Amino acid sequence: MSSSNFYKTICNQSPAAMSILDLKGRFIEVNQSLCNFLGYSKDEILGETTALLSHPNEVEITSRKLQQLTSGEIESIQLEKCYLHKKGHPLWGLVSFTLIRDHDNRPTFIIGQLQDITEKVMIQQQLMESEDRYRRLVELSPEAIFVHLNGRIVYVNRVGIKLLGAKNKDEIIGTPSFSFIPDEERDLIREETVALLNQTTSKKLRHSIIRYDGKSLSAITTAARITYNGERAIQTVIRDITEQKMMEEWLRKSEKLSVVGQLAAGVAHEIRNPLTSIKGFIQLAKSNQEFKQEHLDIMLTELERTEGVIYEFLSLAKPNDQVKFQKHDVKTILTKVITLLDSQALMKDIEIVTSLGHLPEIDCDENQLKQVFINIIQNALEASPRKGAVYVHLDQINDDNIIIRISDHGPGMPKDRLKRLGEPFYSTKEKGTGLGLMVSCKIVENHQGKINFSSKEGKGTTVDIVLPFEQRLSHIEEGAVH
């Protein structure tokens, strides 16, 4: 059997797509696998050059490579090339051409083998297109986006450069991850984000940022695991909330002033009563020219009560720019608030009924919780009819949380109005702004708690405030780190 016939037999029996070409690049044999791949019959291919099957963009390079092969410059060729199916759609193949020589070392023909890699190439193209679209979206994102790999920043978009006050990407790329976060917060943020490398969830963290110019910002970071250049990495999306925090603080202070103003009349009434008693005993002592011990004891008690009311009033009114989470007894906080509101309840002939259990102390800001309780209880007093009652209940619901339930027997409200409670400028009161409840909801949220409203028309409203015993370290909210 001649060498040519031998290779033709191998070609036709091979399950792989094979062909034999003469030294001018024309097909002298093709097997069925190649015909199936390209959609042509054997007769349509034999005698034709590779230009028939190649994509127009591939014709020149294929022809040049075959010339190098037949001239002896190279002994074999392997390349990925695009073919055109008979129906016109592109196909991709990994093709190798090998020059066959005779016994005298003269070139005789070329053996071609082709592997179908269309699916692989299409997946690669889709990935590249997807990555390109993702990159464009990231660059156009209004949020600052960073990618962290092996403890270093490997990518930042334009908004991220602006956020940090850098001149260009080169100032940021390669720097240690989270180097722009203050020392006291950095270790915790790093620990939480690095843990995401073995998780599929995302985390949202509040923290501070120190820009390159030294300016401090408040930010919320959403961190999640991604694949970057084939490796597990962390992507952080950072939003500057400095102005939002300033607005929230302004609203809190405004609402606090409003609360103080509403309490003023009640406090004046609360102070006038003991002062009247003291004045009467002094006048009695003056006329009798003597002080009785029992009268002195009553006057001291009344003065202590007056002092307590004034202290609570001033502690609520004084500015407090920093949120301070410390251990406090919620029962004591509620008792102080009820002392302030007792006079308002008495003027409306409403009883404040309490059921306050003895519970462990919780992490909280005492002043902010007072503001919440005053807002909610005062709303309940205003909604209650004369000779009604407002109920304040404190209990532990599980190992992690306590509940404060404040309820009244007022007119209640329909469901469509109930679901809007807590929205700014939405109020069920004629002259209300809705800011009191909005601020209260925000304070409870910053304490990692929940506030729920339930109501039935004609039966009253109940507000449940659920608070944790301890603040979770992974949830860095405003004021949690100073």
Side-chain angles (χ1 to χ4, degrees), residues 383-394:
S384 297
R386 281 196 170 276
K387 297 187 178 180
V390 169
Y391 300 88
V392 181
H393 176 73
L394 170 66

Side-chain angles (χ1 to χ4, degrees), residues 391-460:
Y391 300 88
V392 181
H393 176 73
L394 170 66
D395 203 356
Q396 181 174 343
I397 52 176
N398 52 42
D399 292 340
D400 301 318
N401 299 286
I402 66 168
I403 185 170
I404 301 96
R405 174 167 293 168
I406 300 163
S407 55
D408 63 66
H409 291 308
M413 64 191 79
K415 288 184 179 179
D416 58 327
R417 299 180 71 182
L418 186 67
K419 64 184 179 183
R420 293 194 60 191
L421 291 179
E423 293 181 13
F425 308 110
Y426 178 79
S427 176
T428 58
K429 295 182 282 188
E430 184 179 347
K431 295 183 180 180
T433 63
L435 295 178
L437 274 183
M438 189 197 77
V439 169
S440 297
C441 290
K442 187 63 182 175
I443 290 172
V444 172
E445 178 188 333
N446 287 343
H447 280 70
Q448 301 174 27
K450 294 179 180 179
I451 184 167
N452 298 309
F453 302 92
S454 58
S455 185
K456 289 185 179 181
E457 290 185 80
K459 292 189 176 180

Side-chain angles (χ1 to χ4, degrees), residues 86-111:
K86 185 178 179 180
K87 293 182 179 179
H89 58 267
L91 299 167
W92 285 88
L94 177 64
V95 64
S96 61
F97 292 109
T98 303
L99 181 65
I100 304 299
R101 297 175 180 273
D102 62 14
H103 295 296
D104 297 323
N105 202 33
R106 291 176 299 183
T108 54
F109 51 84
I110 300 167
I111 295 290

Side-chain angles (χ1 to χ4, degrees), residues 8 70 105 139 196 281 312 325 344 412 430 442 446 473:
K8 283 183 179 181
T70 55
N105 202 33
E139 284 297 333
L196 290 172
F281 282 121
E312 289 304 320
F325 284 93
Q344 290 189 31
E430 184 179 347
K442 187 63 182 175
N446 287 343
L473 290 178

